[in-house]
Amino acid sequence: MIAHFLRLEWKQYFRAPYWQKSIGIKIFMGFFALYFIAMFLGMGFGLFPVLKKAYPDQDPFTIVNQALFYWISADLAVRFFLQKLPVMTVKPFLTLPVKRSKIVNFVLTKSIFSFFNFLPLFFAIPFSIVLIGKGYDPTQVWTWFGFIFLVTHVINMLNFFLENLMAKSELSILPIVGILGLLSGLNHYQVIPLSDLTASGITAILETPVYLLIVIGMLVVLYISNYRSLKNKLYVDSAVQVKIKEAKTSDLSWTRRFGDIAPFMQLDLRLIMRNKRTKSTLFILVIGLLYGLFFYPQPVYRDMEFFYSFIGIFSTGSFLINFGQFIPAWDSGYYKMLMSQNFEYKRYLESKFVLMSMSVVLLFVFGIPYVYFGWKILLVHFAAMIYNIGVNTHVIMYGGSFNRKKINLDQKAAFNYQGTGAVQWLIGIPLMVIPMGLFAALNYFINFEVAVTVLIALGLLGIVFHTKIMKTITKKYIKSKYKMIGAFDQDN
């Protein structure tokens, strides 16, 4: 039966209509995977001598064990946002004499072959070989390798459990991010030395390998929990049952002050709050606001003035970039109906512009505390705000006129390239690379003040000539309207 499932999965994969459409993305992801494999291999062979040179008085093996707390946290977070859980089309099997237990076991076993489970091995295997070559006890080294292998699969099953829990209870992803952030903060400020506790636990396992049974027990418990959860869902009634939810309305009366574009703003805000794919833009907005905290607390980045522009553009424009790059594909499901209405197209586009501009201003205001790291940082963020409003909003809206991919709003955004085309890959050049390169060049060859002034001046020019620019963009959308309608109808 397992072999039969595998054959069906193989046929489904290569016969799916998206296979030919997304082959370019698959090639890109292949190179992306090779890059990480090479990086992990390099770390596996080179980390020991690097740590020995940097910390001559400490044991590199102990340092790695202390860092495993951060690896476990990061691995869980990355899997949660990027790993696609294994699925299969089960509805046809529910009316056939196929045991539900076999279907569930196949789905769970399939998760073992995830790329995320293999990636740590490209570090653990060469690092274990280096440790043995340096004279460490082979029994302890291979016990450590077994621990890494088991913990990787524990994280995989834990991610599976959290995904099912969130799907069942409709919890937000923010509590999970908050918990991981809180634990990291407690460890960083030594309130609870979780790194030391992790290293002590690993040392105990190395000295008494029988403690690996505890990790194995965790893996078994999570597997059984996921097994029961999935098996309870595999019923014909649950597969065809229509879930009825009460529509929640929000008070959007404040949008009326924007005049005739208010109905379109309300439509966008409701779309963002009610769909899985668009809700991710709200999370990215939070990430953008806190993005500077990944860099500014470290003195090495505070000395890199040219890097301020990149952080400023992304921090104040995170919503602009993630929401704007899919205009008008967000409305692709009802775009034909929308275009049959009697309204001025410019109003439709102006509502997008106002929404993105508001997000840029709000992100800058909430990011004012970055002045703690230096007034230059706040000044660049202000310049980035003006540049985003005056230049990047127009750039991304013009790029949207080339969108021809329909978006399924019910799908998750993490690692989901449905609806992604060449436009989304190329738009990053004018959005990020050009302003960063311009700022860096002016800052290097002239001075910091001139670099900031030029960014502000370009943004102000875009604001001053906004009306004329929008007329050009509107004409491009109207010219492409019927091509978009046809593409959105065909791209299912």
Side-chain angles (χ1 to χ4, degrees):
M1 182 57 69
I2 298 296
H4 183 60
F5 284 153
L6 289 173
R7 285 196 298 270
L8 292 176
E9 290 279 305
W10 181 269
K11 292 177 181 179
Q12 181 188 25
Y13 183 73
F14 284 100
R15 291 178 181 178
Y18 59 78
W19 166 251
Q20 293 84 2
K21 296 180 181 179
S22 59
I23 190 168
I25 294 176
K26 290 180 173 64
I27 293 173
F28 173 80
M29 295 307 299
F31 282 113
F32 198 63
L34 290 174
Y35 167 76
F36 275 100
I37 289 173
M39 186 172 66
F40 273 61
L41 282 173
M43 288 175 57
F45 286 111
L47 187 59
F48 189 95
V50 169
L51 291 176
K52 192 66 176 177
K53 182 178 180 180
Y55 306 97
D57 299 330
Q58 299 183 44
D59 182 8
F61 193 28
T62 302
I63 296 175
V64 170
N65 289 335
Q66 290 175 335
L68 286 181
F69 163 73
Y70 291 105
W71 167 69
I72 293 172
S73 302
D75 192 15
L76 180 60
V78 170
R79 284 174 184 267
F80 187 80
F81 293 112
L82 300 183
Q83 183 180 8
K84 282 188 176 181
L85 295 181
V87 295
M88 66 180 297
T89 305
V90 298
K91 287 184 181 180
F93 295 104
L94 299 181
T95 56
L96 297 176
V98 179
K99 291 184 177 180
R100 289 182 294 131
S101 59
K102 290 186 177 181
I103 298 175
V104 174
N105 280 322
F106 175 76
V107 172
L108 291 175
T109 305
K110 187 180 173 184
S111 69
I112 296 175
F113 300 97
S114 168
F115 174 74
F116 290 91
N117 291 336
F118 286 101
L119 188 59
L121 301 182
F122 289 101
F123 165 77
I125 293 175
F127 189 72
S128 299
I129 294 173
V130 171
L131 289 175
I132 293 175
K134 296 294 182 179
Y136 285 81
D137 183 2
T139 302
Q140 290 193 352
V141 171
W142 293 118
T143 301
W144 177 84
F145 175 79
F147 171 79
I148 297 295
F149 179 82
L150 289 172
V151 167
T152 298
H153 289 282
V154 167
I155 295 172
N156 177 55
M157 286 297 158
L158 181 59
N159 178 48
F160 212 120
F161 176 80
L162 292 175
E163 288 279 1
N164 288 326
L165 179 64
M166 288 188 60
K168 183 177 180 180
S169 59
E170 297 185 0
L171 292 173
S172 170
I173 59 177
L174 293 181
I176 295 176
V177 176
I179 291 172
L180 292 176
L182 176 62
L183 292 176
S184 298
L186 292 175
N187 179 70
H188 178 76
Y189 293 105
Q190 291 296 302
V191 178
I192 302 177
L194 295 172
S195 293
D196 296 335
L197 293 175
T198 302
S200 299
I202 295 174
T203 302
I205 291 175
L206 298 183
E207 294 175 351
T208 312
V210 72
Y211 287 157
L212 280 178
L213 293 176
I214 298 175
V215 185
I216 296 174
M218 294 173 60
L219 181 59
V220 171
V221 169
L222 286 170
Y223 186 94
I224 294 174
S225 177
N226 289 324
Y227 173 86
R228 290 178 177 176
S229 177
L230 290 178
K231 188 177 180 181
N232 290 335
K233 296 178 182 178
L234 288 184
Y235 288 98
V236 175
D237 292 343
S238 62
V240 299
Q241 184 179 6
V242 178
K243 294 182 179 180
I244 301 175
K245 297 180 181 179
E246 181 181 354
K248 297 179 181 179
T249 57
S250 302
D251 184 14
L252 300 176
S253 58
W254 58 270
T255 59
R256 295 174 185 171
R257 68 188 64 182
F258 294 99
D260 56 0
I261 68 171
F264 297 104
M265 291 184 65
Q266 294 175 5
L267 185 67
D268 283 331
L269 290 171
R270 291 192 176 101
L271 179 141
I272 291 170
M273 293 184 289
R274 293 179 179 178
N275 297 280
K276 291 182 180 179
R277 187 77 179 265
T278 48
K279 280 182 181 178
S280 66
T281 60
L282 299 179
F283 175 73
I284 296 296
L285 186 145
V286 177
I287 293 294
L289 178 62
L290 303 177
Y291 190 67
L293 295 179
F294 292 101
F295 301 97
Y296 292 145
Q298 304 178 47
V300 63
Y301 289 106
R302 290 204 296 271
D303 295 334
M304 300 165 59
E305 293 181 350
F306 71 91
F307 201 59
Y308 296 175
S309 58
F310 174 80
I311 300 174
I313 292 291
F314 183 81
S315 180
T316 61
S318 57
F319 178 83
L320 178 155
I321 295 169
N322 287 277
F323 178 79
Q325 66 178 324
F326 291 110
I327 293 174
W330 294 121
D331 306 317
S332 57
Y334 50 89
Y335 190 74
K336 181 188 294 186
M337 181 275 293
L338 193 64
M339 292 299 102
S340 66
Q341 305 302 306
N342 183 21
F343 65 87
E344 190 179 359
Y345 205 108
K346 182 183 177 183
R347 289 167 49 201
Y348 171 77
L349 295 177
E350 282 286 354
S351 68
K352 314 286 186 185
F353 173 83
V354 171
L355 196 62
M356 291 187 292
S357 298
M358 287 173 56
S359 73
V360 172
V361 174
L362 286 174
L363 284 170
F364 168 74
V365 172
F366 287 127
I368 287 178
Y370 280 125
V371 73
Y372 171 80
F373 299 105
W375 67 268
K376 285 187 175 182
I377 291 174
L378 182 63
L379 187 58
V380 173
H381 279 220
F382 176 77
M385 176 191 70
I386 302 298
Y387 185 88
N388 273 328
I389 295 174
V391 179
N392 278 348
T393 49
H394 297 119
V395 169
I396 207 163
M397 291 184 69
Y398 183 80
S401 65
F402 296 94
N403 280 332
R404 301 291 187 269
K405 297 281 187 177
K406 185 177 181 178
I407 289 182
N408 187 345
L409 296 173
D410 293 329
Q411 294 184 0
K412 289 179 59 179
F415 237 42
N416 181 9
Y417 295 95
Q418 186 270 330
T420 302
V423 176
Q424 281 70 41
W425 298 108
L426 297 176
I427 198 70
I429 297 175
L431 287 178
M432 305 294 294
V433 178
I434 291 179
M436 182 180 178
L438 180 63
F439 182 90
L442 292 172
N443 182 60
Y444 181 79
F445 291 107
I446 306 179
N447 57 44
F448 175 82
E449 289 74 14
V450 171
V452 171
T453 302
V454 169
L455 280 188
I456 295 176
L458 290 174
L460 291 176
L461 284 174
I463 295 173
V464 170
F465 293 100
H466 168 71
T467 303
K468 293 185 177 180
I469 296 173
M470 285 302 296
K471 286 182 179 178
T472 303
I473 294 175
T474 302
K475 290 179 181 178
K476 183 67 174 68
Y477 272 86
I478 293 174
K479 185 178 179 180
S480 305
K481 181 170 68 173
Y482 295 104
K483 292 181 180 178
M484 290 183 186
I485 292 174
F488 292 155
D489 278 347
Q490 296 174 14
D491 194 6
N492 295 316

